[in-house]
Amino acid sequence: MEIQVLLKEMVERGAKDIFIISGRPVSYKQSHLIINCGEEKLTPVQTQEMLREVYALAGRDPKNFLKRGDDDFSFALKGVSRFRVNAYKQRGSYAAVIRVVAFSLPDPVEMRLPREVLNLSNLRRGMVLVTGPSGSGKTTTLTCLLERINEERSAHIITLEDPIEYLHSHKKSLISQRELMIDTENYPSALRAALRQSPDVILIGELRDMEAISIALTAAETGHLVFAALHTLGASNAIDRLVDAYPAAQQEQVRIQISMVLQAVVSQQLLPADDGSLVPAFEIMQCNGAIRTLIRDGRTHQIPSVIQTSSSEGMMSMDASLAKLYKEGSISKQTALTYSMSQEYLLRQMENR
């Protein structure tokens, strides 16, 4: 099947991810289920040809993929959709997972983003982390926050992404969107350059190493608002991830730095709802005095307890979010327990009707 025809058909079916892997038919993911598209199993020759067509559509040289064995990029089909591609080699053959990304920017109401999360767009300096496993909607949340700033205030927003998913237009703000391997070599070099580009807001698609973390903390320390994504679940785990990126001798100083610049951590999961759709659950940590002290003293394991008792300050634990979704009838009890951080605490929350 011609790749353009296949992609158009997958968009019409409401596919979220499309899988091109030899030994299986073309498959797609819809509401956490993987569905085969027909019965014909792809051969290595077919997957290679399909990947060649994808690269041609994207106008991208496959040399990085052939050299490294994996590659990330995005492209658009006019009148169809945007797509984010991860191409990779497996068992000697070519494969790809293609995510469908809508042309339009996500609607915070449709995405069910809590007001406390959207209000983070009002911050003027410091660091905000959005965390969660792969495919949990981190990019969507960050996009909503940036678009709120774009609509409401005059600022220069610089995004560093790998790859770019959503395209922003200039509104009240100026937006410069840079993609790794196309517009810049890596996150550290892009971050250093960003600090010389008069930014007010910097978005980092992923904090991957100590060098990027260090520059991001410095940017937040010097009066910029920095949004960044991390592949962790839970605020305390996110902070530990930042600290653990440094040698032991530097960790105490880094904890002090983080305690000073961190403003909030939003951690999220996507859950299967009873109606077959996906709904997000959130943990929201706002950095008050107690949280900053725990970070500085290396007692991050106590942060979940502070979150549980600080709902009046705009905080929410993951289990409180799950209990809320259960009480609203959005998810089943079993789903809530499966995704909970503390089943004992969650059961108590469920009983408090």
Side-chain angles (χ1 to χ4, degrees), residues 112-181:
R112 301 178 67 160
L113 288 187
R115 175 176 47 83
E116 292 83 1
V117 173
L118 283 174
N119 286 345
L120 296 175
S121 63
N122 297 327
L123 294 169
R124 298 291 171 143
R125 62 183 61 84
M127 177 180 282
V128 174
L129 298 176
V130 177
T131 79
S134 180
S136 60
K138 298 185 295 296
T139 300
T140 299
T141 296
L142 288 165
T143 298
C144 290
L145 288 168
L146 288 191
E147 191 60 14
R148 177 67 66 90
I149 294 171
N150 188 22
E151 292 172 345
E152 294 185 352
R153 73 177 195 248
S154 177
H156 183 203
I157 302 169
I158 298 176
T159 77
L160 312 175
E161 303 173 71
D162 183 24
I164 293 171
E165 289 193 32
Y166 293 101
L167 299 178
H168 295 267
S169 58
H170 306 297
K171 294 180 181 176
K172 284 191 175 181
S173 292
L174 295 173
I175 298 192
S176 301
Q177 292 185 260
R178 307 190 70 199
E179 182 168 324
L180 262 64
M181 306 308 296

Side-chain angles (χ1 to χ4, degrees), residues 245-260:
Y246 288 79
Q250 299 179 40
Q251 290 183 359
E252 183 177 355
Q253 178 58 39
V254 170
R255 279 195 291 268
I256 293 171
Q257 193 177 18
I258 294 171
S259 73
M260 292 168 57

